[in-house]
Amino acid sequence: IDTHKHTHMFPRVLRPVLRAARASGIRAVRNPFEPAWAVRATAGASMARVAEVGLLRWLQPVWRKILTEEGFATTHGTIAVVGTGVLNSVTLRRLLQQLPAGTWELVTHPGYNDADLARVRTRLRASREIECEALAVIREFPDIELISFRDLRPPAGLQ
């Protein structure tokens, strides 16, 4: 499950979202927190975005505790959150070279500038095709296995 702009990182939002998810049979939640190493590896990120991601990271311990208590699955973290709008092949390669073992989500907004996108108000129009092309870098890392959130499992004993 996910929320717009990752508002489920806030405990007051997270608990009701988890109740709704459980009632709908959903047992995996997006982890909205980007580790500091990934932020540092993302060249060209706006300083405002870097500061925002860093400040919000203080919510992660409580967020993880709630997910563990409720028995939901998630990833070890997310990469390229600060890369929104600036993610290219060079930056993605740098991130994947530093990626520690675990299950990680790569945040991208790839796409093509077609009639459907033209109807949407977004600052990301110019970066869509660049991000789409950058995804080819993943092929350079054969040890990375692409999975779906459907494949995530809650911690042992909480299923």
Side-chain angles (χ1 to χ4, degrees):
I1 196 161
D2 186 22
T3 58
H4 185 65
K5 301 283 187 176
H6 304 292
T7 57
H8 67 286
M9 74 175 61
F10 299 99
R12 288 186 179 247
V13 174
L14 180 60
R15 289 201 188 268
V17 165
L18 294 180
R19 282 195 302 273
R22 181 177 284 111
S24 299
I26 298 169
R27 302 297 293 175
V29 180
R30 285 184 79 187
N31 180 337
F33 300 100
E34 183 163 20
W37 67 263
V39 171
R40 287 189 301 274
T42 306
S46 82
M47 292 310 296
R49 185 84 164 162
V50 168
E52 177 183 79
V53 166
L55 286 171
L56 291 171
R57 199 176 297 122
W58 71 272
L59 294 166
Q60 188 174 17
V62 171
W63 185 88
R64 279 220 179 259
K65 180 178 182 285
I66 293 169
L67 250 63
T68 301
E69 290 170 357
E70 298 293 333
F72 277 77
T74 194
T75 62
H76 287 88
T78 299
I79 61 171
V81 173
V82 298
T84 299
V86 297
L87 186 67
N88 58 30
S89 297
V90 172
T91 300
L92 181 54
R93 187 174 291 109
R94 187 177 309 120
L95 286 165
L96 296 179
Q97 287 169 338
Q98 296 181 43
L99 192 68
T103 304
W104 296 86
E105 178 181 358
L106 169 63
V107 172
T108 61
H109 301 87
Y112 303 98
N113 290 310
D114 58 12
D116 290 332
L117 187 58
R119 290 190 290 274
V120 176
R121 196 177 126 229
T122 178
R123 68 178 176 82
L124 302 176
R125 197 171 320 283
S127 63
R128 299 276 174 163
E129 291 183 18
I130 294 167
E131 288 192 24
C132 191
E133 292 169 9
L135 293 176
V137 167
I138 294 171
R139 291 188 205 117
E140 298 173 18
F141 298 84
D143 291 341
I144 292 178
E145 177 186 0
L146 301 180
I147 65 169
S148 164
F149 269 79
R150 181 180 299 119
D151 300 324
L152 292 177
R153 297 288 174 250
L158 293 175
Q159 300 182 25

